[in-house]
Amino acid sequence: DAGVIQSPRHEVTEMGQEVTLRCKPISGHDYLFWYRQTMMRGLELLIYFNNNVPIDDSGMPEDRFSAKMPNASFSTLKIQPSEPRDSAVYFCASSRQGAGNTEAFFGQGTRLTVV
Amino acid sequence: QQQVKQSPQSLIVQKGGISIINCAYENTAFDYFPWYQQFPGKGPALLIAIRPDVSEKKEGRFTISFNKSAKQFSLHIMDSQPGDSATYFCAATVSGSARQLTFGSGTQLTVLP
């Protein structure tokens, strides 16, 4: 498996524009997480899904943020409208339910810059 | 209750030295404590993890020490190498739950050649 795949790797957009980040989890994983990483706040969990169903979105900062998981192999994180303070690296991670170790596999991230 | 506090924020060590990163938690329900390593431009990757039924776990040059009564755990990197230069995150979760990791704030380690 190629691991968790995120696209794009880099995104530069103007304030007010819509931004869509994409994630393909590892096949067979039934948990998917979206994190945001900034220097000031570190790694923050935004939302996570279990079997494509959103379980906890309490980390989503504002209504401008939304996430979907239409099927087991694809998820999106959308920001509309984007603001300069949304500039960060956004990570998607996936893991598999079951007994034993709890390892989350992270993608390489999308570096978002809103100007 | 959900916080994991990590220190130091940054650490500079000479090649061959010992790097020590500390974390403390409050939620006594946490029972799985992984450490993640992140290189620039990459996502975090699992390095080593421990459960509270043991006080120490060693994998190569990396050792986790765990003090359940103090609710603290630490990562020791023996014989630190320049290739170990990265950001290290401690984390905690309740196994069997939704696998929601609570991360520390991260430590940027620089190992000088």
Side-chain angles (χ1 to χ4, degrees), chain A residues 14-83:
Chain A
E14 291 185 346
M15 182 173 62
Q17 296 298 306
E18 177 179 295
V19 175
T20 299
L21 312 181
R22 297 172 176 79
C23 175
K24 182 181 187 304
I26 293 174
S27 177
H29 282 192
D30 44 14
Y31 282 93
L32 184 138
F33 307 85
W34 282 101
Y35 288 88
R36 179 172 67 176
Q37 185 176 38
T38 61
M39 289 295 294
M40 290 296 295
R41 302 174 69 90
L43 270 166
E44 302 175 275
L45 177 66
L46 301 177
I47 184 172
Y48 74 90
F49 295 82
N50 177 217
N51 292 321
N52 314 337
V53 177
I55 303 299
D56 185 353
D57 65 354
S58 60
M60 297 284 262
E62 299 171 33
D63 291 345
R64 299 184 296 106
F65 286 69
S66 62
K68 294 182 179 179
M69 192 165 186
N71 56 63
S73 59
F74 184 66
S75 177
T76 59
L77 177 68
K78 185 177 294 185
I79 308 173
Q80 165 63 23
S82 57
E83 297 183 3

Side-chain angles (χ1 to χ4, degrees), chain B residues 90-104:
Chain B
C90 62
T93 190
V94 179
S95 60
S97 68
R99 310 299 176 90
Q100 183 177 339
L101 291 165
T102 300
F103 283 93

